[in-house]
Amino acid sequence: MTEAVVIEAVGLDSGVIDSVLVIVTQLVLAIAVTPLLIGVMRTTRARLEGRVGGGIGQPWRDVAKLLSKEPLRAPGSTPVLTTAPILLVASSLLLCALVPLVSTLALASVPGDLFVVVSVLLLGTVALALLGLESGTAFGGMGSSRHMTIAALVEPTVLLSIYALSVPTGTSALASIVQARKLDPTSLLNPVSLLSIVALVVVVIAETGRLPVDNPSTHLELTMVHEAMILESGGRDLGWLEFGSWLRLTALLGLVVNLAMPWGVAADAAPLGLLVGLVTITAKLLVTGALLAAAEVFMAKLRLFRVPELLAGSFVLAFLSVSASYLVF
């Protein structure tokens, strides 16, 4: 009995160590690759528009400059102004740790369930909305209202899309879903998978404020959503807000590419497997980001009243994928 207890304790410790290794690897990946991803997207768009651009390393320099500056806060401001940027970054980092970016290893004592991930995503969404309301300006309130409207349409679609992919696996754990799709390549091209991935791409674009839903490079008052909420922030606060928003893009884009193309994702915490997973997810993120930026060049921003129609269409695709999943599987 004593030997069994010792073996079980050693196995538990090994599982915890592997989980910590995977989490640290994914966090390092997110922190290192996120500014590079934004730089690639900006440079791709600039070159296609005939501009030189700031270069791939410009996002690193922008964040470093903002984090070195002391923020200016209006007298009488509440703690929301200081805690919202930190909460956004913390929730984004937690999102990067829970989403299977590098490995599909089931994390010990860490819930990687779909509903937990969506709840963490909602934390950052609410933090941004509260920040916009805290500014007390018409633009801030307008941006928060639009932001929460989009979120109310996005979250159900995310749940339905990934739920459709979870039906054949019988679990809502994201790591298990990615691993099952990796082991069964035929599941990548069936109608359920295609409908779910298309719906996910639309909601990721909406959730991260990309064209045609929002334009991250404009401050035009009548059209901006994300920029309206952070318009009154500056210095270190603005740096955390920008970096947190970029991390959300990395996590969500990484989830989509791993669901659509699960090749190269490690199945455990072996050093070689993690290295291959790091290289693979980095390449997939950069290529997908460049393709997304190239597509944005040929897109115009939708009118605001057209955005719910687009998101309703993605919800219909997600609903059809769930219905088809019970017919196919």
Side-chain angles (χ1 to χ4, degrees):
M1 182 179 299
T2 304
E3 293 180 357
V5 172
V6 172
I7 293 175
E8 183 178 354
V10 172
L12 177 62
D13 291 341
S14 177
V16 172
I17 292 174
D18 289 346
S19 298
V20 171
L21 182 60
V22 170
I23 291 174
V24 170
T25 302
Q26 296 198 159
L27 290 179
V28 170
L29 166 79
I31 294 172
V33 172
T34 293
L36 181 62
L37 171 64
I38 300 299
V40 168
M41 295 179 71
R42 289 180 178 177
T43 302
T44 300
R45 186 170 177 179
R47 296 298 168 82
L48 290 177
E49 292 175 348
R51 299 182 288 108
V52 176
I56 295 178
Q58 187 60 42
W60 274 112
R61 295 188 287 270
D62 290 343
V63 170
K65 179 180 67 175
L66 289 172
L67 293 180
S68 64
K69 291 185 175 182
E70 189 70 23
L72 296 177
R73 303 186 180 99
S77 58
T78 67
V80 172
L81 199 63
T82 58
T83 57
I86 303 301
L87 181 58
L88 176 62
V89 173
S91 63
S92 300
L93 287 173
L94 183 57
L95 194 65
C96 292
L98 295 178
V99 171
L101 299 176
V102 177
S103 174
T104 58
L105 176 72
L107 304 179
S109 303
V110 180
D113 189 84
L114 165 64
F115 300 96
V116 175
V117 170
V118 172
S119 300
V120 172
L121 182 65
L122 190 59
L123 281 177
T125 301
V126 173
L128 272 176
L130 291 176
L131 179 69
L133 294 174
E134 166 63 22
S135 63
T137 64
F139 291 152
M142 176 187 67
S144 297
S145 175
R146 294 174 176 179
H147 183 63
M148 293 307 297
T149 301
I150 293 173
L153 298 172
V154 163
E155 306 295 342
T157 306
V158 175
L159 289 171
L160 281 180
S161 299
I162 303 182
Y163 176 75
L165 300 178
S166 71
V167 170
T169 62
T171 177
S172 57
L174 296 178
S176 300
I177 296 173
V178 174
Q179 180 66 15
R181 292 173 63 79
K182 177 183 175 182
L183 296 176
D184 183 17
T186 59
S187 64
L188 304 178
L189 297 178
N190 60 46
V192 176
S193 178
L194 295 178
L195 289 171
S196 298
I197 296 300
V198 171
L200 273 177
V201 169
V202 174
V203 297
V204 166
I205 289 174
E207 181 66 31
T208 55
R210 311 296 307 185
L211 285 171
V213 176
D214 191 18
N215 190 349
S217 60
T218 183
H219 284 80
L220 184 60
E221 293 86 351
L222 296 179
T223 63
M224 59 186 179
V225 179
H226 178 266
E227 297 299 323
M229 295 182 290
I230 65 174
L231 198 60
E232 299 298 321
S233 300
R236 187 165 55 249
D237 292 342
L238 181 59
W240 289 126
L241 289 169
E242 292 285 7
F243 192 59
S245 300
W246 297 347
L247 285 171
R248 286 161 68 91
L249 175 62
T250 299
L252 294 175
L253 201 60
L255 176 61
V256 172
V257 297
N258 276 347
L259 287 172
M261 301 174 291
W263 307 290
V265 184
D268 50 29
L272 181 60
L274 291 181
L275 179 61
V276 173
L278 277 172
V279 174
T280 304
I281 188 60
T282 300
K284 289 191 286 189
L285 280 173
L286 296 182
V287 172
T288 306
L291 292 176
L292 181 60
E296 288 180 349
V297 176
F298 304 98
M299 290 183 183
K301 187 183 180 301
L302 287 175
R303 293 183 178 181
L304 189 63
F305 65 87
R306 294 289 186 185
V307 173
E309 297 179 6
L310 174 66
L311 298 180
S314 67
F315 179 81
V316 171
L317 292 178
F319 182 79
L320 290 176
S321 67
V322 173
S323 302
S325 65
Y326 286 101
L327 299 176
V328 175
F329 302 107

